[in-house]
Amino acid sequence: MVSRVIPVDPFDLVIFGGTGDLARRKILPGLYRRFWDGQMPRDAHVIGAARTAQDDAGYRQFVREAIETFVAPDKRDAETIEAFLAMVRYVAVDATGTEGWDTLAAMVRPDTIHAFYFSVSPSLFGGIAERLHGHGIATPDARIVVEKPFGHDLASARELNATLAHSFDEHQIYRIDHYLGKETVQNLMAVRFANVLFEPLWNAQYVDHVQITVAETVGVEGRGAYYDKSGAMRDMVQNHLMQLLCLIAMEPPSRFEPDAVRDEKLKVIRALDPVAPGDIVRGQYRGRDDEPGYLEAAENPDSTTESFVAMKVHVSNWRWAGTPFYMRTGKRLRARVSEIAVVFKDPPHSIFGEDGKRRGNVLAIRLQPDEGMTMRVTIKEPGPGGMRLVEVPLDMSFAEALGEHAADMPDAYERLIMDVIRGNQTLFMRGDEVEAAWAWTDPVIAGWESRGDRPLPYDPGGAGPEDALMLLHRDGRRWREIEG
Ligand code: NAD
């Protein structure tokens, strides 16, 4: 198979927070990889903009180290790195003052695509937007990229949207949720809407339930104090898990275009029932041996913030009435895995007697590790001995099917940044979507607060609190194993 990389047009990308952790680990190595693959043109400019006083040479050294640390050795050589660094520049700016803005205005070329990546604390968004506008850098075609968290609740998300709307139109604002940049997530849409096979079965008549699991093995160390103000519901469910739920549950959009897709996702969020208190379980991991537990890592012995949450959710519309969606996410679990499983109903009648009483088909969509999909089907066990049935996976793992090209798949950040340059908002969240997600999340959190709810402790290395298993057991179902 021939790789088909289509180069994007020349651009000036300004990274506010260009010396930060996200720029170092994701944005800069990602840009370099797109350059290596021939997607990023040689006349693009990457401009780091941050508080540190340094010159271009100092910043290029930072970028070089980021590439050497985070790009695989088989995707780098001295010549390519030098060519990439030649496109890198730096300007010291103060997002809340006047320093550096005239210099930045002079650096940005008039005739290219302008993209501004706000890789800084959201408290600086307003100041940057205003200054870009004031210095005439924010042309009508300019794009801005903003990172999570997009607000802390509905009120703050609205405020943030209003702040950005002051200087930019919605079509210029790219709110990143890197889960949407994953190859498998886009493939989910291809599988659903480019085949005739799945869509007729994609409803409450044939789907028994859906499971969405985002499990991590790491705890909150290092960012415990920050995480403690947030928790799994805000940090993971409101954005990543809800986006995945939307892609599974949405109606077919009329076209694969930004507003058509985002309209359908918004309808799903608006169709979500409020979660009943009995349908949600929160947890906090315990310590083990010399690993600190959540309370210790968060440096808050009285914390009621959850490091795990599991819930049963209903999408109240004609397609999904009666099919529950179970979602769970947590830290310090058995394995690092992100997976969606669409569990189909059993066949209505077994012609094979007792042996035919098999579980239904399962379409498992794995985001990490090993992006890919498997479909569990029931077949006859080969050989003599009568009609013995076995369940086998129909494997659609990219690594096997697409050979070496699967290894070359750009990661989510790279793909999304190239979409920004192309001006394609399909895989970015619209302002009203984010607000609708908070409008659904806020009452759940307010309920915990008003009831003085405390998360249940759970042991690290497992699947969260026992009660989370009961969420499904009481419905006669079970979670899939958390395995990497
Ligand atoms: P960081 O603290 O490592 O870097 C912050 C950057 O902002 C630095 O470059 C700093 O110079 C710059 N900065 C701070 N104050 C400034 C000012 N007044 N004027 C100009 N520049 C200023 O932060 P980070 O981890 O890179 O995160 C950046 C953003 O991305 C945050 O909003 C964060 O929530 C979000 N985010 C980060 C990650 C991650 O993995 N690091 C993941 C998802 C989202």
Side-chain angles (χ1 to χ4, degrees):
M1 193 183 303
V2 179
S3 171
R4 286 193 300 150
V5 174
I6 301 169
V8 296
D9 291 333
F11 61 87
D12 286 359
L13 171 67
V14 180
I15 309 171
F16 292 103
T19 59
D21 176 64
L22 186 69
R24 191 172 88 88
R25 286 190 306 112
K26 292 288 182 187
I27 306 171
L28 293 163
L31 284 166
Y32 168 80
R33 277 191 291 262
R34 292 297 85 226
F35 182 66
W36 171 270
D37 276 354
Q39 192 165 22
M40 185 171 152
R42 281 178 177 263
D43 49 357
H45 284 181
V46 175
I47 304 170
R51 258 187 322 195
T52 318
Q54 62 179 336
D55 57 12
D56 287 352
Y59 189 58
R60 284 179 183 150
Q61 186 54 27
F62 172 85
V63 178
R64 181 195 302 279
E65 281 168 20
I67 294 168
E68 285 170 356
T69 311
F70 295 104
V71 175
D74 64 345
K75 287 191 183 242
R76 54 181 153 91
D77 58 37
E79 198 186 322
T80 315
I81 293 179
E82 285 315 313
F84 180 77
L85 293 179
M87 304 190 294
V88 172
R89 281 147 186 70
Y90 183 79
V91 55
V93 291
D94 182 0
T96 56
T98 53
E99 189 204 332
W101 288 95
D102 289 335
T103 316
L104 178 61
M107 281 167 97
V108 176
R109 296 170 294 176
D111 300 328
T112 56
I113 294 166
H114 299 162
F116 303 100
Y117 203 125
F118 290 17
S119 182
V120 292
S121 154
S123 61
L124 299 177
F125 288 0
I128 295 176
E130 215 173 87
R131 284 165 179 76
L132 283 172
H133 205 69
H135 284 79
I137 317 173
T139 50
D141 192 37
R143 291 123 216 211
I144 61 166
V145 185
V146 295
E147 268 294 336
K148 92 169 204 189
F150 200 86
H152 185 70
D153 53 16
L154 177 58
S156 54
R158 276 194 180 138
E159 207 179 301
L160 215 46
N161 273 335
T163 302
L164 296 178
H166 219 71
S167 307
F168 296 95
D169 283 342
E170 183 62 36
H171 79 270
Q172 299 179 279
I173 305 172
Y174 291 71
R175 295 173 194 79
I176 281 215
D177 185 322
H178 69 273
Y179 273 62
L180 294 182
K182 301 225 179 243
E183 182 76 15
T184 323
V185 167
Q186 292 164 68
N187 225 327
L188 168 62
M189 286 189 270
V191 165
R192 274 193 71 185
F193 303 128
N195 297 286
V196 76
L197 206 58
F198 296 99
E199 206 44 33
L201 307 180
W202 210 262
N203 54 52
Q205 198 182 343
Y206 293 104
V207 177
D208 180 70
H209 71 281
V210 174
Q211 298 186 14
I212 301 176
T213 298
V214 176
E216 296 176 281
T217 52
V218 294
V220 299
E221 297 79 40
R223 55 192 285 266
Y226 162 81
Y227 186 89
D228 201 44
K229 293 194 211 86
S230 163
M233 190 74 179
R234 287 190 168 103
D235 191 48
M236 298 297 291
V237 176
Q238 184 274 342
N239 39 53
H240 307 316
L241 276 82
M242 284 189 69
Q243 288 294 320
L244 299 181
L245 182 145
C246 285
L247 295 177
I248 291 282
M250 73 181 183
E251 296 299 318
S254 55
R255 299 187 68 81
F256 190 59
E257 280 178 357
D259 278 331
V261 171
R262 298 186 302 177
D263 285 346
E264 296 307 335
K265 281 162 57 198
L266 180 62
K267 284 187 210 161
V268 173
I269 303 176
R270 290 192 172 147
L272 290 177
D273 279 352
V275 195
D279 283 347
I280 191 158
V281 174
R282 294 201 302 154
Q284 237 175 23
Y285 62 83
R286 292 194 180 96
R288 185 174 56 184
D289 304 327
D290 50 0
E291 291 168 359
Y294 178 81
L295 295 175
E296 211 182 317
E299 295 169 26
N300 179 3
D302 299 320
S303 170
T304 56
T305 302
E306 75 285 352
S307 61
F308 173 97
V309 67
M311 66 189 81
K312 177 180 172 182
V313 175
H314 296 282
V315 181
S316 274
N317 60 21
W318 274 50
R319 185 186 282 261
W320 294 115
T323 294
F325 287 69
Y326 300 94
M327 304 199 280
R328 63 179 165 172
T329 180
K331 297 193 176 289
R332 277 263 194 278
L333 299 180
R334 187 175 303 129
R336 177 170 177 261
V337 51
S338 300
E339 183 195 78
I340 306 167
V342 179
V343 181
F344 290 90
K345 290 188 173 167
D346 292 342
H349 165 71
S350 169
I351 64 166
F352 303 109
E354 277 304 298
D355 199 30
K357 285 205 177 125
R358 293 278 157 172
R359 283 173 289 160
N361 302 108
V362 178
L363 176 67
I365 301 139
R366 188 177 267 242
L367 278 60
Q368 64 187 19
D370 311 325
E371 289 199 56
M373 300 191 200
T374 49
M375 180 84 191
R376 190 180 73 191
V377 291
T378 303
I379 60 163
K380 177 191 169 299
E381 196 173 288
M387 197 65 180
R388 293 189 314 272
L389 302 182
V390 286
E391 285 150 6
V392 293
L394 265 183
D395 202 339
M396 297 180 262
S397 98
F398 302 139
E400 267 175 42
L402 303 179
E404 69 203 59
H405 290 290
D408 287 339
M409 285 190 307
D411 94 345
Y413 271 94
E414 298 168 34
R415 183 190 315 274
L416 293 173
I417 295 172
M418 290 300 111
D419 277 357
V420 173
I421 304 302
R422 289 192 203 98
N424 185 345
Q425 287 184 306
T426 310
L427 300 174
F428 295 82
M429 294 178 294
R430 209 168 52 192
D432 52 1
E433 254 185 277
V434 177
E435 289 185 15
W438 280 120
W440 180 81
T441 313
D442 276 2
V444 177
I445 297 171
W448 293 333
E449 285 170 358
S450 70
R451 289 193 303 275
D453 185 274
R454 297 195 77 84
L456 304 166
Y458 62 91
D459 288 329
E466 191 83 353
D467 287 34
L469 306 181
M470 290 310 296
L471 265 185
L472 271 78
H473 284 188
R474 66 179 192 196
D475 295 342
R477 302 181 173 112
R478 53 188 302 157
W479 287 107
R480 288 162 58 82
E481 289 298 323
I482 294 180
E483 49 194 11

Short mmCIF file of all heavy atoms in Angstrom, two decimals, residues 137 156 159 172 219 251 256 312 314 350 418 435:
data_model
loop_
_atom_site.label_atom_id
_atom_site.label_comp_id
_atom_site.label_asym_id
_atom_site.label_seq_id
_atom_site.Cartn_x
_atom_site.Cartn_y
_atom_site.Cartn_z
N ILE A 137 -3.15 40.89 14.21
CA ILE A 137 -2.58 39.59 13.80
C ILE A 137 -3.71 38.59 13.53
O ILE A 137 -3.55 37.65 12.76
CB ILE A 137 -1.63 39.00 14.87
CG1 ILE A 137 -0.72 40.10 15.44
CG2 ILE A 137 -0.79 37.88 14.28
CD1 ILE A 137 0.13 39.66 16.61
N SER A 156 -18.30 28.64 33.71
CA SER A 156 -16.96 29.03 33.27
C SER A 156 -16.76 28.72 31.78
O SER A 156 -16.04 29.44 31.08
CB SER A 156 -15.89 28.36 34.12
OG SER A 156 -16.08 26.96 34.13
N GLU A 159 -18.31 31.49 29.91
CA GLU A 159 -17.48 32.69 30.02
C GLU A 159 -16.30 32.60 29.04
O GLU A 159 -15.99 33.56 28.33
CB GLU A 159 -16.96 32.77 31.45
CG GLU A 159 -16.65 34.17 31.91
CD GLU A 159 -16.17 34.13 33.36
OE1 GLU A 159 -16.93 33.65 34.23
OE2 GLU A 159 -15.03 34.57 33.60
N GLN A 172 -13.42 29.91 13.56
CA GLN A 172 -11.96 30.06 13.74
C GLN A 172 -11.46 29.31 14.98
O GLN A 172 -10.26 29.24 15.20
CB GLN A 172 -11.62 31.54 13.90
CG GLN A 172 -11.98 32.40 12.70
CD GLN A 172 -11.62 33.85 12.95
OE1 GLN A 172 -12.35 34.59 13.62
NE2 GLN A 172 -10.47 34.26 12.45
N GLY A 219 -1.40 6.99 38.64
CA GLY A 219 -2.17 7.74 39.61
C GLY A 219 -2.09 9.22 39.30
O GLY A 219 -1.89 9.59 38.13
N GLU A 251 -26.94 9.98 15.09
CA GLU A 251 -27.59 9.62 13.82
C GLU A 251 -26.58 9.85 12.69
O GLU A 251 -25.65 10.65 12.85
CB GLU A 251 -28.81 10.52 13.60
CG GLU A 251 -29.90 10.34 14.62
CD GLU A 251 -30.47 8.93 14.63
OE1 GLU A 251 -30.69 8.37 13.54
OE2 GLU A 251 -30.66 8.37 15.73
N PHE A 256 -19.96 14.14 5.85
CA PHE A 256 -18.87 14.15 6.83
C PHE A 256 -18.27 15.55 6.84
O PHE A 256 -17.18 15.78 6.32
CB PHE A 256 -17.84 13.07 6.48
CG PHE A 256 -16.81 12.87 7.56
CD1 PHE A 256 -17.20 12.49 8.83
CD2 PHE A 256 -15.47 13.06 7.31
CE1 PHE A 256 -16.27 12.31 9.84
CE2 PHE A 256 -14.52 12.88 8.31
CZ PHE A 256 -14.93 12.51 9.57
N LYS A 312 -24.27 4.43 34.52
CA LYS A 312 -25.18 3.90 33.51
C LYS A 312 -25.97 5.10 32.98
O LYS A 312 -26.53 5.87 33.76
CB LYS A 312 -26.12 2.92 34.19
CG LYS A 312 -27.19 2.33 33.31
CD LYS A 312 -28.01 1.38 34.17
CE LYS A 312 -29.22 0.87 33.48
NZ LYS A 312 -30.01 -0.01 34.36
N HIS A 314 -28.62 6.81 29.92
CA HIS A 314 -29.64 6.53 28.90
C HIS A 314 -29.70 7.65 27.88
O HIS A 314 -29.74 8.83 28.25
CB HIS A 314 -31.01 6.40 29.55
CG HIS A 314 -31.10 5.23 30.47
ND1 HIS A 314 -31.25 3.94 30.04
CD2 HIS A 314 -31.00 5.15 31.82
CE1 HIS A 314 -31.27 3.12 31.06
NE2 HIS A 314 -31.11 3.83 32.16
N SER A 350 -32.38 -20.24 19.46
CA SER A 350 -31.22 -21.07 19.14
C SER A 350 -31.67 -22.36 18.47
O SER A 350 -32.44 -23.13 19.06
CB SER A 350 -30.44 -21.40 20.40
OG SER A 350 -29.49 -22.39 20.08
N MET A 418 -2.82 19.23 11.73
CA MET A 418 -2.93 19.33 10.26
C MET A 418 -4.36 19.71 9.85
O MET A 418 -4.57 20.45 8.89
CB MET A 418 -2.51 18.02 9.58
CG MET A 418 -1.02 17.73 9.67
SD MET A 418 0.04 19.00 8.90
CE MET A 418 0.83 19.73 10.32
N GLU A 435 -20.77 23.30 25.99
CA GLU A 435 -21.70 23.82 27.01
C GLU A 435 -22.76 22.77 27.35
O GLU A 435 -23.11 22.57 28.51
CB GLU A 435 -22.35 25.12 26.51
CG GLU A 435 -21.36 26.27 26.49
CD GLU A 435 -22.00 27.61 26.12
OE1 GLU A 435 -23.25 27.72 26.17
OE2 GLU A 435 -21.25 28.55 25.80
#
